[in-house]
Each structure stands twice: as structure tokens, then as C-alpha cells.
Amino acid sequence: DWPRELITDDETWSYSYETNSWLQLTLQSSPSKRAWHQMIGTKKGVLVFGGGTSRRSYTNESWLYSSLSNAWELVRSGFALH
């Protein structure tokens, strides 16, 4: 059964193959808490698209995380879809 309560998160974690461990990153800005988003790795970093805080409110924002700069960048500003 699915949980009745929506669980959203805005944390960013990095995995180290060398130590086989996860490290939570502290960043100045990041995508807002969301669920139902899509994520893909690219040559430039990790791209997160869409998602929302409920099944009735979605965004079309795109955020790109670069491990080189250790920062998220808003690539495309979105709007809530109702």
C-alpha cells in the first residue's frame, strides 16, 4: 500500500564509489521539495524536471546540478499546473 502522507524532499546527496558511502551536501540553493519528478544524468550534470507538492499542483521547472561547481542552477523557470 502507498503511504497516505506525501513525502517530499529537497536534500542533495553525493555517492562515493571509493568509500561506498553517501554524503549529504549543503548547498546555497536547490530545487524546492517535490515528488513525481524526473531525473537524468547528462554530460553537464544531473537534470531534474517537474514534480510537485501534490497531485494537483505541478511545476515545469528544470534544475541542473553540477558536481564541478557543487551547485544547482535553475535552467527553466516553471509555473504551477492545476
Side-chain angles (χ1 to χ4, degrees):
D1 288 313
W2 289 94
R4 293 181 185 266
E5 183 179 322
L6 174 66
I7 300 170
T8 59
D9 204 336
D10 63 352
E11 297 174 350
T12 301
W13 291 77
S14 175
Y15 179 75
S16 169
Y17 288 99
E18 295 172 359
T19 62
N20 190 30
S21 63
W22 289 93
L23 173 67
Q24 185 175 3
L25 305 177
T26 303
L27 305 171
Q28 289 184 343
S29 67
S30 62
S32 60
K33 292 182 178 186
R34 62 190 65 204
W36 307 292
H37 56 280
Q38 300 295 313
M39 181 181 282
I40 188 169
T42 71
K43 290 181 180 180
K44 293 186 176 184
V46 176
L47 183 68
V48 172
F49 171 76
T53 56
S54 76
R55 292 190 183 266
R56 295 183 183 164
S57 179
Y58 291 93
T59 179
N60 70 353
E61 289 178 342
S62 296
W63 286 81
L64 181 67
Y65 173 77
S66 168
S67 60
L68 298 176
S69 63
N70 191 34
W72 284 101
E73 174 188 357
L74 179 60
V75 178
R76 179 174 172 222
S77 181
F79 57 90
L81 301 176
H82 301 279

